[in-house]
Amino acid sequence: MTAPVPGATFAPGTFLPRPEPAPAGRAVLAAARFELTLLLRNGEQLLLAVVIPLAVLLGLTLTTFVDLDGRRIDVVTPGVLVLAVMSTAFTSQAITTGFDRRYGVLKRLAAAGVGRLQLVGAKCLATLGVLVLQMILLGGVALALGWQPHGNAAWAVLLVVLGAAAFVALALLVGGTLRAEAVLALANLVWLVLIGLGGVVIPLSDAPSALRTIGELTPTGALTTGLRAVLTDGTGPGLLPPVVLLAWVLIGTVGTVRWFRWH
């Protein structure tokens, strides 16, 4: 028989099993697997994440109703990749988070020991899983259409990861503070505004200087400018895009940790 611990009411092993919080890393991986499964099963999210970017890629490449400088496929593809990142990491995550709060899903995750930072990490991992599939599909179609990427691929990967982290943090800030209906309206409105301001279709280099400056300070503009510099021009992204994206990561994360509500 196990000897009782001095001061304890019951001897160790009296009650089995002994439920206790999992280590933080294992909790993040479990929550990420849960989020990824929900994303892949949701038809509306797949429409936003795959069908719309693919339609934009084909429409802007195979038609000429928008004037673009240079080879169309080389100019269009980086913008379409940014559109995919924004759709998956911001719009989809914000709407999902808003409705998960309404239906009590997040409250149950909190009761299971998942904290705010762990939730951000889990959603980032799940989003990166979807982004890998998106990049393979969209990149494959673009290559079939004659896309010729240039530059160092490591820069492109770094920019996509920073962009995804910034959008997920902002999505949790919006989805974790507003009502579900407001999140749905705001997320779609921001998606449309950022497509215009961020130079997703028409590069910011063709915009007036004031508008270009504003656009480059948005996460979409910073990611688009950086990816076009790497993949189209074959140069480095410069200092501004990664700094702007990192600033949005910090803003979104700090705001989420400070104001996020589980219900």
Side-chain angles (χ1 to χ4, degrees):
M1 180 177 178
T2 306
V5 176
T9 305
F10 301 99
T14 302
F15 301 105
L16 292 175
R18 295 179 57 193
E20 57 185 8
R26 194 190 305 171
V28 169
L29 290 177
R33 186 166 56 249
F34 173 71
E35 292 286 340
L36 182 59
T37 302
L38 290 181
L39 282 173
L40 294 178
R41 286 180 177 176
N42 192 319
E44 294 179 359
Q45 306 300 341
L46 290 180
L47 171 70
L48 190 64
V50 175
V51 177
I52 292 178
L54 188 59
V56 173
L57 175 64
L58 295 174
L60 290 178
T61 302
L62 301 178
T63 67
T64 57
F65 67 90
V66 175
D67 292 330
L68 297 173
D69 294 331
R71 295 181 74 240
R72 297 188 68 84
I73 186 64
D74 291 341
V75 177
V76 168
T77 302
V80 169
L81 297 181
V82 175
L83 178 63
V85 173
M86 183 172 61
S87 300
T88 301
F90 177 73
T91 310
S92 174
Q93 286 292 358
I95 295 172
T96 301
T97 303
F99 282 93
D100 280 352
R101 281 178 60 222
R102 164 182 279 190
Y103 297 128
V105 176
L106 296 186
K107 190 162 60 176
R108 287 170 172 77
L109 286 177
V114 179
R116 291 180 174 88
L117 281 177
Q118 289 172 324
L119 184 65
V120 172
K123 286 188 174 288
C124 282
L125 285 178
T127 300
L128 288 176
V130 176
L131 286 178
V132 169
L133 299 178
Q134 284 178 301
M135 297 300 130
I136 292 173
L137 175 62
L138 295 173
V141 173
L143 289 172
L145 292 172
W147 180 39
Q148 296 176 357
H150 305 283
N152 189 337
W155 275 118
V157 172
L158 175 64
L159 289 169
V160 168
V161 170
L162 281 177
F167 283 125
V168 168
L170 293 172
L172 290 180
L173 179 59
V174 172
T177 55
L178 302 177
R179 294 178 55 192
E181 292 82 359
V183 173
L184 181 62
L186 183 62
N188 284 302
L189 177 62
V190 169
W191 185 78
L192 288 173
V193 170
L194 287 182
I195 287 176
L197 278 180
V200 171
V201 177
I202 300 176
L204 290 173
S205 57
D206 297 334
S209 59
L211 185 60
R212 183 170 66 244
T213 300
I214 295 173
E216 288 176 348
L217 294 178
T218 66
T220 307
L223 184 55
T224 306
T225 302
L227 279 185
R228 283 212 172 97
V230 175
L231 298 176
T232 303
D233 302 333
T235 64
L239 183 61
L240 185 60
V243 169
V244 170
L245 290 174
L246 188 57
W248 282 110
V249 172
L250 293 176
I251 291 171
T253 303
V254 171
T256 298
V257 172
R258 174 67 179 81
W259 291 298
F260 186 88
R261 298 196 304 268
W262 293 95
H263 54 83

